[in-house]
């Protein structure tokens, strides 16, 4: 994977969100530092390889986030980082949120944050910070996808995060890690769902058979992301146990304005 280091000074600190036209607000981290259980398949097909994620500015932001996360964890542990994450959550609270609380009407757009539109959970202390932050802002809906589930203690922390009422987590699987994913779902006490990186059907036959449970032992409903670049996507697999992301197939259009409903907010399948 290409290193995400930049020429920017390493004393540059700060946490910053990304305004993502599909998911709405998201927090990102550098892949080469945090995708600690990346597979060969996801390294090759990751949408983070796309041009809009590879600008100098986007890479610098991810590295700055990472440096700051590490600094805060070293200085004072998960609590201090959590305090700063809460600050980020508060930044993206819809402007009509207070009025909506008083009138009982819904906000124009929901209060949401996707943890990692790029990057993953690299250590359990970092997960703990998100647990604390999510508990402090129970009205904000958080969701994430992760491949960091093959280390027991990290998985336990992630399970605690995904089990919070305002949070939802998916275990990201592909042809290289799906067996571990199925096992983790079974160990997760009903907390997890699988999210599959779907390549062409002929490339994923064995995995599909396992995931949709030929013998009734499947992992429940699977969220599928057919591999895509721009408007191109591989043909989605049709199966009653598979839900294909409608943003990939073009049912929802990208929305540049943060004050309007984004595809993930409109679809809401992945939200808690
Ligand atoms: S399934 Fe819906 S909520 Fe999930 S990523 Fe796709 S559009 Fe977003």
């Amino acid at each position: 994977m290409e290193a995400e280091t930049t020429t920017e000074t390493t004393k540059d600190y700060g946490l910053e969100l990304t305004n993502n036209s599909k998911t709405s607000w998201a927090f990102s981290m550098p892949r080469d530092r945090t995708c600690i259980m990346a597979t060969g398949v996801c390294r090759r097909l990751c949408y983070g390889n796309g041009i809009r994620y590879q600008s100098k500015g986007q890479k610098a932001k991810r590295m700055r986030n990472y440096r700051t996360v590490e600094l805060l964890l070293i200085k004072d542990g998960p609590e201090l980082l959590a305090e700063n994450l809460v600050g980020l959550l508060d930044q993206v609270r819809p402007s009509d949120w207070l009025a909506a609380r008083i009138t009982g009407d819904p906000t124009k757009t929901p209060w949401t944050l996707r943890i990692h539109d790029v990057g993953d959970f690299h250590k359990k202390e970092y997960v703990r910070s998100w647990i604390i932050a999510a508990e402090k802002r129970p009205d904000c809906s958080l969701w994430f996808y992760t491949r960091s589930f093959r280390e027991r203690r990290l998985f336990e922390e992630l399970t605690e995060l995904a089990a919070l009422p305002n949070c939802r987590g998916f275990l990201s699987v592909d042809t290289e890690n799906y067996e571990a994913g199925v096992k983790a779902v079974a160990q997760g006490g009903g907390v997890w769902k699988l999210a599959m990186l779907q390549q062409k059907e002929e490339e994923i036959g064995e995995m599909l058979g396992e995931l949709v449970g030929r013998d009734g032992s499947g992992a429940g409903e699977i969220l599928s992301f057919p591999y895509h670049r721009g408007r191109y996507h591989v043909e989605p697999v049709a199966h009653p146990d598979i839900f294909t992301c409608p943003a990939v197939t073009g049912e929802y259009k990208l929305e540049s304005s943060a004050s309007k409903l984004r595809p993930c907010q409109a679809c809401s399948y992945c939200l808690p």
Side-chain angles (χ1 to χ4, degrees):
M1 186 183 298
E2 187 190 350
E4 297 201 357
T5 44
T6 71
T7 53
E8 200 170 304
T9 167
T10 52
K11 288 191 177 163
D12 180 28
Y13 293 109
L15 298 177
E16 194 184 343
L17 296 177
T18 300
N19 187 7
N20 185 305
S21 55
K22 178 189 171 208
T23 68
S24 198
W25 296 105
F27 185 70
S28 40
M29 294 274 268
R31 293 175 298 167
D32 62 329
R33 308 299 171 102
T34 65
C35 293
I36 54 171
M37 294 177 206
T39 63
V41 173
C42 75
R43 280 197 194 98
R44 188 160 52 83
L45 302 182
C46 177
Y47 62 81
N49 295 333
I51 198 156
R52 73 190 163 116
Y53 293 98
Q54 288 303 315
S55 71
K56 203 174 159 196
Q58 291 293 330
K59 285 183 176 179
K61 176 163 64 180
R62 294 196 288 269
M63 274 309 295
R64 192 162 54 242
N65 283 345
Y66 174 75
R67 269 198 303 276
T68 308
V69 162
E70 291 297 292
L71 180 74
L72 294 173
L73 287 176
I74 288 166
K75 288 272 180 208
D76 206 19
E79 286 281 351
L80 182 60
L81 173 57
E83 219 175 277
N84 286 270
L85 296 176
V86 167
L88 290 181
L89 299 181
D90 287 346
Q91 278 174 25
V92 300
R93 196 168 68 175
S95 55
D96 56 348
W97 190 81
L98 272 179
R101 290 271 288 188
I102 293 162
T103 60
D105 294 332
T107 50
K108 284 190 190 127
T109 56
W111 186 7
T112 65
L113 184 108
R114 173 171 161 188
I115 308 174
H116 306 144
D117 62 343
V118 176
D120 207 335
F121 295 93
H122 62 301
K123 55 170 69 169
K124 63 185 176 50
E125 294 81 4
Y126 173 63
V127 184
R128 178 55 51 186
S129 298
W130 279 110
I131 293 171
I132 299 167
E135 285 177 331
K136 288 192 172 166
R137 291 295 179 269
D139 293 323
C140 180
S141 296
L142 302 156
W143 84 100
F144 63 91
Y145 313 89
T146 183
R147 278 183 170 76
S148 300
F149 56 83
R150 286 184 285 158
E151 196 278 314
R152 186 180 56 83
R153 293 183 63 192
L154 191 50
F155 179 61
E156 283 168 4
E157 290 289 285
L158 287 166
T159 302
E160 195 177 326
L161 176 61
L164 293 176
N166 59 326
C167 196
R168 193 153 192 214
F170 292 81
L171 303 179
S172 296
V173 294
D174 55 54
T175 50
E176 289 177 31
N177 70 347
Y178 70 90
E179 285 161 314
V182 171
K183 206 167 146 199
V185 166
Q187 289 168 346
V191 166
W192 296 102
K193 275 193 175 184
L194 293 180
M196 168 177 71
L197 172 55
Q198 192 225 298
Q199 297 166 259
K200 289 180 183 158
E201 201 161 348
E202 59 270 24
E203 295 172 297
I204 58 169
E206 205 173 310
M207 170 173 77
L208 263 187
E210 185 81 21
L211 295 188
V212 298
R214 284 170 297 198
D215 56 358
S217 61
E221 189 174 68
I222 314 289
L223 169 62
S224 174
F225 293 101
Y227 169 69
H228 60 287
R229 277 286 175 277
R231 287 187 192 160
Y232 163 81
H233 60 79
V234 301
E235 189 60 30
V237 171
H239 188 281
D241 287 349
I242 292 180
F243 178 83
T244 298
C245 170
V248 172
T249 53
E251 282 168 58
Y252 291 99
K253 303 294 172 215
L254 300 180
E255 170 55 60
S256 58
S257 169
S259 61
K260 294 188 181 157
L261 212 56
R262 256 65 186 268
C264 289
Q265 294 174 321
C267 162
S268 80
Y269 180 88
C270 297
L271 274 61

